[in-house]
Amino acid sequence: PAQQEGDHDADEGDDEGLEEGDAEAEDEAAVGDAEDRDVGGEPRPEEVSGSGGAIRLVDDLDTGGLDARAADGLEGVSAHSGRIAQVETLRSRWHADVTALCPTALPERVAGEVIDLLDRWLEDHRSYHDAVHLAEVLAALDELHEGGDLPALDRHLAGLVAWYHDAVHDPAAPPGANEEASAVLAEERLTALGLPAERVAHVATLVRDSATHEMSSTDAAARAFHDADLWILAAPTERF
């Protein structure tokens, strides 16, 4: 009996040790996750919610591991910022934004438009206004949504503004010309997709506002888009 009691005490000690070890491991994992989410102490928007959980929009550039081209096209595109925009994720986000606001849009038109938009965002002459910037704006919108500051439909509307706000980018254009051309493009393309006229007008207005960031309206989508587009001003030094 004495031997059995000793064995029992030893088993309890082992169990307690395992529980403490597990708790320490969980704490370390939590710290690691927090470090992964932050750069230089600043939140780094990097994920959006998808039907299968959180999906990555942007990531830090690993030059040794990046294979930008695959058999089915671009998987990721790097920029001078040292970040990668996940192009397949961008495509998925476009489909989600359009179908949420216009469920009757023809799938082939939706798919064709995102190909054209990505071709624009991936133009060789772009530096800051590139696919990484687009991905960061979309990710910032999702952070605002997850924080309770942006209703779902307004998030999708602001997402369409993000897609079109720098869709036309000519470095030699006079001030405001790119934004005006991008707004006209949004009006034409979103109307063709079947988006209701009032939503098309709202998107185009916010695209035009992005020239100066003087807000012509203060609704949730407008506030969120301006915050997301200017996220770079609060970014870590290495990104800014």
Side-chain angles (χ1 to χ4, degrees):
Q3 180 65 37
Q4 291 176 353
E5 185 176 346
D7 291 343
H8 178 69
D9 291 342
D11 289 342
E12 286 185 347
D14 289 343
D15 290 342
E16 290 175 358
L18 286 171
E19 290 174 359
E20 291 176 0
D22 290 343
E24 290 177 359
E26 289 177 0
D27 289 343
E28 291 176 0
V31 171
D33 289 344
E35 290 174 347
D36 287 342
R37 287 193 302 270
D38 292 354
V39 174
E42 294 288 344
R44 182 180 67 195
E46 61 179 15
E47 294 180 344
V48 296
S49 297
S51 57
I55 50 179
R56 191 173 296 277
L57 269 169
V58 285
D59 199 1
D60 293 320
L61 179 59
D62 177 4
T63 54
L66 175 63
D67 180 11
R69 289 198 172 273
D72 59 350
L74 281 167
E75 289 183 337
V77 57
S78 63
H80 72 288
S81 62
R83 307 199 76 189
I84 302 169
Q86 303 297 341
V87 176
E88 276 306 315
T89 304
L90 285 171
R91 287 194 186 101
S92 297
R93 176 56 190 270
W94 162 259
H95 281 266
D97 286 337
V98 173
T99 55
L101 296 170
C102 186
T104 59
L106 296 175
E108 58 270 25
R109 285 198 173 186
V110 177
E113 181 63 6
V114 75
I115 290 172
D116 179 72
L117 285 169
L118 284 172
D119 282 345
R120 293 171 179 275
W121 283 97
L122 295 170
E123 291 166 336
D124 290 338
H125 69 266
R126 294 179 182 244
S127 54
Y128 171 67
H129 296 95
D130 58 9
V132 171
H133 170 61
L134 171 63
E136 288 175 331
V137 172
L138 292 171
L141 290 174
D142 284 288
E143 285 199 343
L144 292 170
H145 170 68
E146 290 165 6
D149 297 321
L150 185 61
L153 283 180
D154 289 307
R155 176 179 72 161
H156 293 301
L157 189 69
L160 293 185
V161 180
W163 274 97
Y164 284 100
H165 84 289
D166 284 321
V168 177
H169 184 67
D170 177 4
N178 284 328
E179 291 79 6
E180 177 60 28
S182 296
V184 171
L185 182 72
E187 289 169 336
E188 294 173 350
R189 301 292 180 79
L190 293 176
T191 298
L193 286 173
L195 206 71
E198 65 275 12
R199 286 177 174 168
V200 172
H202 198 175
V203 169
T205 296
L206 295 184
V207 170
R208 291 185 171 97
D209 287 351
S210 69
T212 61
H213 283 288
E214 293 181 2
M215 297 172 61
S216 60
S217 62
T218 57
D219 59 275
R223 295 195 307 270
F225 167 71
H226 287 284
D227 282 350
D229 193 29
L230 297 175
W231 167 84
I232 189 66
L233 299 179
T237 303
E238 59 269 28
R239 173 62 182 103
F240 184 79

